[in-house]
Amino acid sequence: MTQQLGRLTVRLRIAVIQLNPQIGQVSGTTARVNALLSRIEKYKPDIVVFPEFALSGYNFHCRQQIGPYLSTVGQGPEWDLCHQISRQLSCVTVMGYPEKSDDGSTGQKVYNSVMVVNSKGELAFNYRKSFLYQTDDEWGCSENPAGFQTFRLPFAQKARDSSGGLHDVSIKSAVGICMDLSPYKFEAPFQDFEFSSFHLENATELILFPMAWLNSISVTANTENPKRREKQIAESLEAIRFPMSGSQGEFQWDVSLLDGTRVEEKPGHNFLGPSHENSDDTATDTFANPGQPDMSNLNYWILRFMPFLAYGGRGSWFMEGLLDPILSKLRGLRFSYMGGSSEKPWLFENRNAVAVLCNRCGVEDGSTVFAGTSSILKFNGQHGDTENNLDTSNSSVELVGNLSKGYEGVLIRDVEFEIDR
Ligand code: GLN
């Protein structure tokens, strides 16, 4: 039997790289990343996270178009870059890429995937997106046959016990890719919280989330007048003097470390935007203030982690047995609902988890505007009785750091969290 160590504190230095990769510009995007590396290296991050489809661009419309960008695991420009970064920085590197599988018997399948490369430059895990977005369907993407998954990720950093003893640990980790956080096909009931319930039940400690998440001004399947919306997008970009594909190469730097190191560099004449004070960033007809985060998106992401959030109402659900009929219907599939179980009002109470949401920015096709706002969140498992707001104001979620919505950027933070071993 292995010895019980109890509560351990882990400190990870996390780097998030927000990019605006355009289709057909793999070498240009790679070059921009390479230009950042020596400066990122100085901070010795334990893990570097990139967006969904970080080098290829996202909006592919058919299989033929995505063809040249598909790679098998362990090959291709994304693999080369991750391998190089992991070796050079002795860190874990996480990056989204379009995958073609070489499992011959079933025919070639294509996936929206994320590679996790360990600090020796070896593949630690390959995750395939489980919940697909309409755009993924356009090029024939397959769903992850394994569904949501967890894996053990070793880090060089040792964990500390309460008397200062140091221990080698691997962190129970998972990858999610963008739409994985949404209700399945936007059709499942909102309160199912499929992704976050799965990781609540599996006691996942570190959630790595590459994204290509859309700002609400984007033209989607539900947009009533796409032409008019495209015109609004073009006008919005012109108003902030951005090219049609959005900003590239002007990097925001936001570094804040526990040793006191602070770096804040805000690029561009309009980092704060022309009318920062009274703009309405939630309106769907403008895209202003590219230097600001998109708080409505960030709040939506936080809401989708509802099972990890303190929520006062769970106490009475538990006392009155309100979840029991739902849980008995779900028996065999799940044992929690909205974070509550029949054993415990809030399963997450006294646990910690860290989520690294690495989104892209920029514009594709003149119609898809990405939301940037890459963020690191820590769920602290406290305040279970008092909270009711499922957004940034909820004291059970700490916004460790975030980037702007419209600029490429680098966010580096030390995050301390507790695990039980
Ligand atoms: N739910 C996401 C959105 O609306 C899906 C996008 C994606 O999977 N890339 O932006």
Side-chain angles (χ1 to χ4, degrees):
M1 244 199 66
T2 51
Q3 194 199 336
Q4 294 279 310
L5 299 171
R7 279 251 128 158
L8 304 177
T9 304
V10 180
R11 181 189 287 192
L12 289 183
R13 183 162 295 174
I14 300 174
V16 173
I17 318 296
Q18 178 164 295
L19 294 174
N20 173 9
Q22 294 287 317
I23 291 175
Q25 297 184 0
V26 174
S27 57
T29 304
T30 308
R32 284 203 303 293
V33 172
N34 273 315
L36 301 172
L37 279 186
S38 63
R39 196 166 163 198
I40 297 170
E41 183 176 12
K42 269 187 262 169
Y43 298 110
K44 300 190 173 19
D46 296 299
I47 181 164
V48 180
V49 185
F50 288 90
E52 180 178 14
F53 280 19
L55 300 182
S56 61
Y58 183 66
N59 267 18
F60 293 101
H61 300 297
C62 63
R63 176 67 175 269
Q64 197 189 2
Q65 187 192 12
I66 203 172
Y69 300 94
L70 297 165
S71 306
T72 51
V73 189
Q75 286 177 9
E78 293 88 354
W79 171 262
D80 292 343
L81 186 59
C82 288
H83 180 80
Q84 174 207 324
I85 294 173
S86 280
R87 298 282 296 250
Q88 187 183 332
L89 276 63
S90 295
C91 68
V92 173
T93 311
V94 180
M95 186 182 282
Y97 73 105
E99 182 194 352
K100 60 179 175 199
S101 72
D102 52 8
D103 30 45
S105 57
T106 50
Q108 194 184 70
K109 287 202 165 167
V110 290
Y111 299 98
N112 182 329
S113 300
V114 163
M115 63 180 81
V116 180
V117 179
N118 71 18
S119 55
K120 296 191 198 107
E122 304 155 346
L123 185 73
F125 199 73
N126 185 59
Y127 174 76
R128 295 165 173 167
K129 194 177 188 176
S130 300
F131 288 7
L132 303 182
Y133 187 56
Q134 286 99 329
T135 310
D136 301 313
D137 292 327
E138 290 183 37
W139 47 269
C141 186
S142 289
E143 289 179 0
N144 185 353
F148 302 138
Q149 294 166 290
T150 64
F151 58 100
R152 294 271 165 191
L153 188 56
F155 283 96
Q157 287 290 344
K158 292 187 191 295
R160 215 172 348 103
D161 65 29
S162 54
S163 41
L166 298 177
H167 305 273
D168 280 318
V169 285
S170 57
I171 305 296
K172 190 161 191 185
S173 304
V175 177
I177 307 177
C178 208
M179 185 74 187
D180 281 333
L181 195 55
S182 298
Y184 183 61
K185 291 187 188 291
F186 295 127
E187 287 165 3
F190 193 89
Q191 323 81 269
D192 283 1
F193 297 109
E194 301 99 311
F195 180 88
S196 45
S197 294
F198 178 90
H199 290 294
L200 172 76
E201 293 178 10
N202 284 277
T204 307
E205 297 158 338
L206 177 64
I207 297 173
L208 307 165
F209 230 115
M211 297 178 156
W213 194 288
L214 280 55
N215 178 280
S216 58
I217 195 178
S218 298
V219 177
T220 64
N222 308 323
T223 308
E224 269 176 32
N225 190 336
K227 282 279 160 269
R228 209 184 84 207
R229 187 63 69 79
E230 282 177 18
K231 194 161 160 274
Q232 285 163 342
I233 292 170
E235 285 167 359
S236 292
L237 291 168
E238 208 185 316
I240 56 174
R241 283 170 277 152
F242 269 14
M244 267 313 286
S245 54
S247 171
Q248 286 180 310
E250 288 191 278
F251 276 86
Q252 175 190 1
W253 280 81
D254 186 335
V255 183
S256 177
L257 307 177
L258 289 172
D259 65 8
T261 305
R262 299 273 181 281
V263 178
E264 257 195 80
E265 287 174 21
K266 300 174 173 186
H269 48 282
N270 53 15
F271 195 85
L272 289 179
S275 58
H276 168 55
E277 294 294 306
N278 47 19
S279 79
D280 181 4
D281 279 356
T282 57
T284 50
D285 58 353
T286 61
F287 183 76
N289 304 325
Q292 294 298 310
D294 184 331
M295 292 311 284
S296 61
N297 255 299
L298 179 55
N299 280 322
Y300 183 84
W301 295 336
I302 290 174
L303 175 59
R304 292 298 302 166
F305 279 100
M306 192 270 175
F308 288 80
L309 294 176
Y311 182 66
R314 287 194 192 99
S316 57
W317 300 349
F318 186 74
M319 298 297 283
E320 292 159 36
L322 295 180
L323 294 186
D324 294 341
I326 306 172
L327 290 169
S328 68
K329 256 199 239 159
L330 294 171
R331 192 160 296 145
L333 295 170
R334 313 174 29 171
F335 58 92
S336 73
Y337 190 72
M338 305 224 288
S341 74
S342 49
E343 309 296 317
K344 222 181 150 188
W346 184 29
L347 260 186
F348 191 70
E349 180 135 51
N350 288 323
R351 287 199 219 150
N352 281 181
V354 173
V356 184
L357 308 170
C358 184
N359 195 19
R360 61 163 291 171
C361 57
V363 185
E364 290 187 336
D365 297 338
S367 56
T368 302
V369 182
F370 296 96
T373 319
S374 298
S375 303
I376 302 173
L377 303 175
K378 175 178 164 180
F379 300 98
N380 62 32
Q382 301 300 312
H383 316 287
D385 303 328
T386 51
E387 290 293 342
N388 285 303
N389 296 335
L390 302 174
D391 57 25
T392 48
S393 70
N394 188 304
S395 50
S396 70
V397 60
E398 299 163 24
L399 178 55
V400 179
N402 65 272
L403 292 169
S404 74
K405 69 180 166 194
Y407 288 96
E408 296 188 311
V410 179
L411 173 71
I412 308 182
R413 288 288 186 276
D414 287 326
V415 187
E416 277 197 330
F417 58 102
E418 317 227 291
I419 57 174
D420 291 306
R421 289 291 182 277

